[in-house]
Every structure is written in structure tokens, then in C-alpha cells.
Amino acid sequence: MVGRTRNTKSKRATLADVAKLAGVSAITVSRVLNHPDKVSDDLCHRVREAIDTLGYIPNQSASSLASARSQVIGVAIPSLSNVVFNDVLRGIYDVAGAGGYKVLLVDTHYSPIEEENMIRTLLSQSPEAMIVTGGDQTRACQRMLSSAAIPVVQMMEVLEEPLDMNIGFSHFQAGFEVAQKLMACGYQRIGFIGARMDTRVQQRMAGFKEALQTQDLYHSELFTTTPSPSSIALGGELLRGLLSTSGGKLDAVFCCNDDLALGALFESQRMHLSVPKDIALCGFNDFETSAFVNPSLSSVHVPRYEMGVQAAQMILNVLKGVPNKETQVDIGFEIRMRQSTRMASA
């Protein structure tokens, strides 16, 4: 307790303290921090040593005000725990870091109101650009992003009217084409399992439903959804419930993501249902696990890393004054049909 009190009352080291300890001017310390290539190796070493000794933390806000540049790109995603965003973020970090920019990341918890609050916080840090997820921001949030007068990329889906730049794919079309694939395999009693039900999942479901309706194969009792967060366990629960309400008359199921699809696969095996002979399953996102389970899981593959790379590159191009060939990019998707959707006779 004594140590904590002493620490909270201690004086924070200043740039002047670093300069004094290193025996240089404050301007030299600033150059070492911001333009080390313009300072000799000896001076850099002395200043860095003083910084380490004092535990000095540069005042980023003051530096931004002085240079009118923060070297920060703000990024808002719906969930840090959803592995779907890992590859996207890796692409963003790789490009931003190589370009000399830092990423300031926030989790909006799939809530437009939380997203509005988090983006307001990000904008207060004077980022040079923003990357946000989707296009369902509140009007207030959209106004903030527009009035910030900085480059903005909306990612993960193709939008009719993006605020600035946009990269993603059509979730509606992906759902539509999954239904077409399943119908082409000869399946007739085709169901849908969805969780969380954010706007992108709703778009997948809408496209899936429309494709089934074109062949008069849509049955409302074969669709089950929940606002609960997705998980493997939930996938099993939802499949068991769907089999119960359908009286077991179910040929195939499209799950809104691979978590649910894997849960449905494991539950099928516990129920001694053969996949795909008794029931076919298709997921979405194409996790690495999906290709290695037995039977391997059909899924919709999206180039998420490439999406992150291109989103960040679009930002850097604008910041560096390089014209983007396109300000809206449809990165596409691929339906990878594997063992879980093959007909018994195939």
C-alpha cells in the first residue's frame, strides 16, 4: 500500500528532465523521438538511455498538436473475441506498421450506440484516418465521421452509399449462392441456423431465403435464429431444436458461421446422424478447423487478410496523396464445398 501511494504521487518525467539527464537540448530529445535519422547515433543512444532511466512517456497529444499529424489510424470492430476479425486486423496492422502508422483499436460490442461512443472517443485522439465495420452506424456517428474530414474506410460488406471508401463483399449474394449450391446437390428440405443476428448475418439469411423461394423450397419452420452470441455449443442446441420442430425432416442446414456449423456437426454425430447422408451442413467464414474435421465442413471463404491489407492501403494512399484506382472494392467470396455437403450417391 505504501509503495502504491508513493508511486501515484511521484512526478511524471518530462521532456526537459530527459534533456537534462542526457545533457542535450529539449529540441534534440524531440528529434530523437520523431526524426531519429536526423540525429547522430551517439546522441540517440544518450537520449534513449535517459528515457529508459526516467521511464519517460512521450506526450502524444502534444506531439500531434505541434505537427498536426498523429500518425494514428483508428479502427472500430464489433468484437475482439470474434476470431473472424483476427485476419482482417493482421492485414491492417501489417500495412499500417510498414507505413509508419500506429493503430488505435476499439471494440463496439455489436452495438451501434457503443460504436458511436467509441468512435467519438477515437476521433478525440485526432486520428489521421478511420476504418470502421459495416454501414449500420447511427446518423450521429456518420455525421461525426463525415465532419472529421479524414479518410474513412467502411469494411466487411459492400455498401450502396459508403461515407467515403468501402471494401467488402455481398453477404446477401453469399447466402443466395449457398442456397443454390445446396439445391443443386438435390437437397429439398433446407434449413438455416443463425445467432447474434447482426446486419451482415441478416443479409446472408435474406439472400438464402430468397434463393429458396425462387424454387418454392422455403419453409419458415426450418429457419431458427437467436440474438445470443454464437458458439459451438449453441450450434448443437439450435440443430437439435430444429430437428425437433421439423419432425426430423431436414436434408441440409446452412449455419451463419463455422462456430454454429461445427456445433451442429458434433451434435449430429452425438445423435448418430451421418453427415452428409442423413443431414448436410454448410458454414460461413471457412475457419482452418473446418477443412480438418471429419467429415470436412463446407463453408464460405472470404479473403479477410487481403481485405485488411487493402483497407489500410486505401487509407495510406490518401494520406500520401496517391490516387486510389477504386474507392469501392468488392473483394468477393468463394463457396468451398467439402464432404459435409456431398450427396450419399456422390
Side-chain angles (χ1 to χ4, degrees), residues 12 18 28 48 52 54 86 89 102 126 206-208 238 254 263 286 322 325:
R12 176 170 173 165
V18 174
T28 298
R48 296 290 182 191
D52 290 342
L54 295 172
N86 289 355
L89 289 174
K102 298 178 286 292
S126 301
F208 188 70
L238 293 177
F254 174 38
D286 195 29
V322 179
K325 293 181 180 179

Side-chain angles (χ1 to χ4, degrees), residues 255-270:
C255 303
C256 77
N257 61 43
D258 281 5
D259 280 350
L260 297 180
L262 289 169
L265 174 62
F266 300 149
E267 185 65 22
S268 297
Q269 293 169 341
R270 280 191 291 269

Side-chain angles (χ1 to χ4, degrees), residues 298-318:
S298 296
S299 190
V300 179
H301 176 80
V302 178
R304 295 186 294 274
Y305 176 78
E306 291 78 6
M307 190 189 307
V309 165
Q310 290 191 44
Q313 192 59 59
M314 291 165 79
I315 290 289
L316 261 59
N317 286 347
V318 174

Side-chain angles (χ1 to χ4, degrees), residues 38-166:
K38 297 181 180 180
V39 184
S40 70
D41 290 342
D42 178 60
L43 283 178
C44 274
H45 177 73
R46 284 162 55 190
V47 170
R48 296 290 182 191
E49 197 171 58
I51 287 173
D52 290 342
T53 299
L54 295 172
Y56 172 69
I57 302 172
N59 188 330
Q60 185 63 46
S61 297
S63 175
S64 300
L65 288 171
S67 65
R69 298 193 63 184
S70 64
Q71 297 292 110
V72 167
I73 297 174
V75 177
I77 63 170
S79 173
L80 291 175
S81 61
N82 189 336
V83 296
V84 167
F85 296 101
N86 289 355
D87 290 335
V88 179
L89 289 174
R90 186 163 54 87
I92 292 172
Y93 274 100
D94 284 353
V95 173
Y101 286 82
K102 298 178 286 292
V103 173
L104 196 55
L105 178 66
V106 296
D107 182 342
T108 65
H109 304 288
Y110 287 96
S111 165
I113 299 301
E114 183 71 6
E115 181 180 41
E116 178 185 323
N117 293 333
M118 289 293 97
I119 286 178
R120 180 179 287 108
T121 299
L122 280 177
L123 291 175
S124 72
Q125 304 301 308
S126 301
E128 292 192 45
M130 287 287 300
I131 299 175
V132 299
T133 305
D136 58 337
Q137 293 82 26
T138 65
R139 289 185 180 181
C141 186
Q142 291 181 350
R143 284 195 296 268
M144 283 192 295
L145 288 167
S146 297
S147 63
I150 58 176
V152 175
V153 172
Q154 291 164 290
M155 64 176 184
M156 299 303 292
E157 61 181 295
V158 172
L159 303 172
E160 290 186 9
E161 297 183 8
L163 296 172
D164 184 10
M165 296 176 285
N166 176 217

